[in-house]
Amino acid sequence: MLVFLRNRVLSSAVPLLFVVLGVFFLARLTGDPANLYLPLSATPEMREAFSESHGFNDPLLAQFGDYLAQIASFDFGESLRTAQPAAEAVLRAFPATLQLAGFTMLFAIVGAVLVGSLAAYRPNSWVDRVASFLSATAASTPDFWFAIMGVLVFAVQLDWLPTSGTTGAGVWVLPIATLLIRPFGVLVQVVRGAMVSALSAPYVKVARSKGAGETRVVFRHALRNAGAPALTVAGDLAVGLVNGAVVVETIFGWPGIGKLMIDSILQRDFAVLQAAVLLTALTIFVLNILIDICYALMDARVRQGATV
């Protein structure tokens, strides 16, 4: 298991380095921060002093080397906008995104297991056909379209839900529903397919012949073996939630890491943008490792394959 974990960490470290490299140089393509942070009447001397004080006059490779040295000592620089440590801004926003993604995946997994198992238990029944149609529709619905329709119907027309805010249970509904719909649709299809195969497997027939109840057969014997592919897909969908959160947080004004990234790009706040992307990449890195560990624990073939 330790060999598997070591190999997985090493293989994931390379993409992480490319993320650090990419965000640093791409951020510089957004333009000169002096155009935003200095008045229109700023003299060339003032611009020169601004760039010099923030190290923008140095060659890009030298700036990148300084940045790597900083993050090696857990120094992520200061925000150009607030002059406060970039790490503080990122750590303030990150819990909001983590809560949003966590609740979304929890609802998606629980709902998909129930609906997918129910559809697989009676394949080709009307329940199966309705579940398959709705899950396929949900899986193909763009997040931004559902967000816009949700705002128009439930916030503007019916006035049931707020479109933004941070207090009250109502502010969670539209952001979670928007992020939830696609993972739920995909997971229902995965769980249904895996459960159909599992319920027809010999070990399930043996369990039934020994007198095991249907609830025990479905949720203990069949679901346990069908859980591995569903877990892998759930992990990929959880990673995709980060991309979806950027859109959703911007639309609903959710104070998370996605909105912070957009604001940092618009304000050319390089240090905050770099810290936000780095923390997000690290989170995805850790999440992938945890998923792989769970997958390896559930399937010995994965562990054996990784140690070859």
Side-chain angles (χ1 to χ4, degrees):
M1 191 65 188
L2 290 177
V3 174
F4 167 80
L5 185 60
R6 182 203 63 191
N7 292 342
R8 192 66 185 85
V9 169
L10 291 176
S11 64
S12 300
V14 175
L16 189 61
L17 289 175
F18 275 100
V19 169
V20 173
L21 182 72
V23 70
F24 179 86
F25 287 101
L26 289 176
R28 268 65 185 172
L29 297 178
T30 58
D32 186 357
N35 295 332
L36 286 179
Y37 294 95
L38 292 180
L40 293 175
S41 58
T43 62
E45 290 75 16
M46 293 171 64
R47 289 177 172 274
E48 181 68 17
F50 176 88
S51 298
E52 186 66 28
S53 64
H54 292 92
F56 297 144
N57 281 342
D58 297 336
L60 271 181
L61 287 179
Q63 292 183 44
F64 183 63
D66 292 340
Y67 172 61
L68 290 180
Q70 281 183 325
I71 61 176
S73 59
F74 299 100
D75 178 7
F76 299 94
E78 290 186 348
S79 167
L80 285 174
R81 186 167 57 91
T82 64
Q84 294 179 344
E88 290 185 5
V90 173
L91 292 177
R92 277 198 304 270
F94 193 62
T97 296
L98 207 58
Q99 291 172 346
L100 190 62
F103 281 123
T104 299
M105 283 310 299
L106 177 64
F107 291 140
I109 291 172
V110 172
V113 166
L114 293 176
V115 175
S117 299
L118 186 61
Y121 189 69
R122 290 283 185 267
N124 300 319
S125 65
W126 69 269
V127 174
D128 183 23
R129 288 195 289 271
V130 170
S132 297
F133 172 76
L134 292 179
S135 62
T137 304
S140 57
T141 302
D143 294 342
F144 67 89
W145 183 87
F146 190 82
I148 293 171
M149 291 297 104
V151 169
L152 286 175
V153 175
F154 296 104
V156 177
Q157 296 296 329
L158 300 176
D159 196 24
W160 288 353
L161 298 168
T163 57
S164 63
T166 56
T167 57
V171 301
W172 292 84
V173 176
L174 284 176
I176 287 180
T178 302
L179 283 176
L180 173 68
I181 185 166
R182 186 173 181 279
F184 174 75
V186 173
L187 281 176
V188 165
Q189 295 176 349
V190 173
V191 171
R192 186 223 174 250
M195 286 294 285
V196 166
S197 299
L199 285 170
S200 61
Y203 63 86
V204 169
K205 296 177 181 175
V206 171
R208 281 176 171 151
S209 68
K210 291 182 178 179
E214 285 303 297
T215 303
R216 184 183 177 89
V217 167
V218 172
F219 291 104
R220 180 164 183 176
H221 295 284
L223 185 60
R224 183 175 181 180
N225 289 278
L231 180 65
T232 303
V233 175
D236 293 338
L237 291 171
V239 171
L241 282 181
V242 176
N243 296 327
V246 173
V247 177
V248 170
E249 290 179 2
T250 302
I251 292 176
F252 295 107
W254 192 263
I257 204 78
K259 186 174 185 302
L260 182 66
M261 286 184 194
I262 296 296
D263 292 343
S264 300
I265 291 172
L266 296 176
Q267 296 163 356
R268 295 170 193 167
D269 201 345
F270 298 156
V272 174
L273 175 61
Q274 291 163 180
V277 173
L278 181 58
L279 181 60
T280 303
L282 280 172
T283 302
I284 293 172
F285 173 79
V286 172
L287 184 62
N288 279 326
I289 295 294
L290 293 177
I291 291 169
D292 286 344
I293 290 174
C294 294
Y295 196 32
L297 290 174
M298 296 174 67
D299 192 338
R301 293 170 298 181
V302 176
R303 299 194 299 272
Q304 293 167 357
T307 56
V308 173

